[in-house]
């Protein structure tokens, strides 16, 4: 019998015991003595303890099957305006989403980049806040010090950098490594704010790289604009974002 079946069986036995104890005593007056109907509190407490233990085992099993299931109670902060990624170290995917969701939502209200898109990009590009760049620089999106010569207004970056060895590729696809300077932020909200400002203000020549991004409230259309603007070289990047949004129901944060 697996832990779930065992837990259900114990719970059913407990309910049946309570039902019998609540049945009027005269129903059994012909076969049971008054002494035999005395409630054994120690036995009930023992049953309750066993049930609690079984349910805990079941919860542990579920946690192992689905690592994204948040532990309860959670110690991950959810309402800090200047939340640092270090406070999310070891957080599950669900905990990460719950922590940055309100931050992304507030950014959407200001900049127009859908919160669902921001959260999905943060999950994909920072491993749910667990990457070394996120942990050491609060940088969720791999934002380098310089991005194709682009500069944009409303940047939340203060000028601090974090140097990290990173892989680059030649036009022929050959991999090589360099030590690059990445933007270092005071907190996650600054990283999200600067990333949104980049998406809105980045240019390709004289034209906006992601023109029309904030004119639509469709996450699919925003992602397509980001993909077509050359944000990522991977052809599967856009679909990966869409799948994350569907999987975690991230559109619930797209509310102004």
């Amino acid at each position: 019998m697996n832990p779930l079946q065992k837990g259900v069986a114990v719970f059913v036995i407990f309910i049946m015991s309570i039902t019998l104890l609540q049945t009027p005593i005269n129903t059994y007056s012909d076969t049971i003595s008054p002494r035999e109907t005395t409630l054994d509190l120690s036995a009930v407490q023992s049953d309750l303890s066993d049930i609690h233990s079984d349910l805990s085992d079941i919860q542990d099993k579920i946690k192992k099957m689905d690592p994204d299931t948040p532990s309860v109670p959670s110690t991950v902060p959810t309402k800090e305006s200047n939340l640092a990624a270090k406070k999310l170290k070891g957080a599950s995917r669900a905990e990460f989403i719950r922590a940055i969701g309100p931050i992304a939502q507030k950014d959407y209200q200001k900049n127009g980049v859908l919160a669902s898109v921001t959260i999905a990009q943060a999950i994909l590009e920072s491993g749910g806040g667990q990457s070394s760049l996120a942990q050491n620089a609060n940088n969720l999106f791999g934002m380098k010090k310089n991005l194709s010569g682009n500069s944009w207004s409303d940047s939340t970056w203060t000028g601090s950098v974090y140097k990290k060895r990173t892989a680059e590729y030649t036009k022929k696809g050959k991999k090589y490594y360099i030590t690059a300077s990445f933007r270092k932020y005071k907190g996650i909200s600054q990283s999200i704010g600067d990333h949104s400002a980049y998406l809105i203000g980045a240019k390709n020549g004289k034209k906006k790289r992601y023109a029309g991004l904030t004119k639509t409230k469709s996450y699919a259309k925003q992602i397509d604009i980001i993909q077509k603007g050359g944000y990522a070289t991977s052809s599967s990047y856009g679909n990966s974002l869409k799948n994350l949004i569907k999987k975690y129901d991230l559109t619930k944060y797209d509310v102004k």
Side-chain angles (χ1 to χ4, degrees):
M1 182 180 291
N2 62 44
L4 180 59
Q5 292 173 325
K6 182 180 177 182
V8 172
V10 172
F11 184 75
V12 170
I13 293 171
F14 174 69
I15 293 299
M16 291 176 64
S17 300
I18 294 298
T19 303
L20 289 174
L21 289 172
Q22 292 179 336
T23 304
I25 196 65
N26 56 13
T27 302
Y28 304 95
S29 58
D30 293 334
T31 58
I32 303 176
S33 67
R35 180 180 296 277
E36 293 173 332
T37 63
T38 302
L39 180 63
D40 187 346
L41 290 175
S42 62
V44 173
Q45 289 175 336
S46 177
D47 287 339
L48 286 172
S49 178
D50 289 341
I51 291 171
H52 179 74
S53 177
D54 289 332
L55 289 176
S56 296
D57 290 341
I58 293 169
Q59 187 180 45
D60 289 340
K61 291 288 185 181
I62 294 173
K63 180 72 174 178
K64 290 178 181 178
M65 290 188 290
D66 184 4
D68 289 336
T69 302
S71 55
V72 180
S74 173
T75 57
V76 174
T78 59
K79 293 184 178 180
E80 292 189 32
S81 59
N82 197 29
L83 178 65
K86 283 187 178 296
K87 292 190 176 182
L88 299 177
K89 187 174 183 179
S92 69
R93 188 64 51 77
E95 289 171 329
F96 177 73
I97 292 169
R98 192 172 70 246
I100 75 164
I103 301 174
Q105 186 177 39
K106 186 175 181 179
D107 179 78
Y108 166 49
Q109 293 168 352
K110 177 184 178 182
N111 293 315
V113 179
L114 287 166
S116 59
V117 175
T118 295
I119 298 169
Q121 286 190 286
I123 292 172
L124 192 60
E125 296 181 39
S126 74
Q130 305 308 304
S131 69
S132 60
L133 189 57
Q135 288 291 306
N136 292 291
N138 291 306
N139 190 329
L140 301 182
F141 307 97
M143 297 277 283
K144 290 182 179 179
K145 178 181 178 181
N146 298 306
L147 292 169
S148 302
N150 271 283
S151 62
W152 50 93
S153 60
D154 297 326
S155 174
T156 57
W157 179 51
T158 60
S160 297
V161 296
Y162 172 73
K163 293 185 177 181
K164 180 179 179 297
R165 190 168 181 262
T166 185
E168 298 286 342
Y169 296 86
T170 65
K171 292 182 179 180
K172 294 183 178 181
K174 186 177 180 180
K175 187 177 182 180
Y176 65 97
Y177 289 91
I178 63 169
T179 298
S181 294
F182 291 86
R183 297 185 173 213
K184 185 175 182 179
Y185 303 97
K186 292 181 179 180
I188 286 175
S189 61
Q190 285 76 24
S191 176
I192 289 176
D194 194 36
H195 182 252
S196 292
Y198 163 74
L199 291 177
I200 295 169
K203 291 184 177 182
N204 186 3
K206 294 182 177 180
K207 294 182 178 180
K208 288 287 184 69
R209 184 180 290 271
Y210 310 107
L213 182 68
T214 60
K215 292 182 179 181
T216 176
K217 293 184 179 180
S218 164
Y219 73 82
K221 289 181 180 179
Q222 284 204 355
I223 289 172
D224 288 343
I225 290 172
I226 290 171
Q227 180 80 60
K228 290 177 182 178
Y231 182 93
T233 56
S234 171
S235 60
S236 64
Y237 181 80
N239 285 332
S240 296
L241 295 181
K242 292 173 185 178
N243 289 335
L244 285 170
I245 290 173
K246 292 175 184 177
K247 180 178 181 179
Y248 296 107
D249 190 25
L250 299 182
T251 54
K252 63 187 176 184
Y253 291 103
D254 293 337
V255 179
K256 284 195 175 183

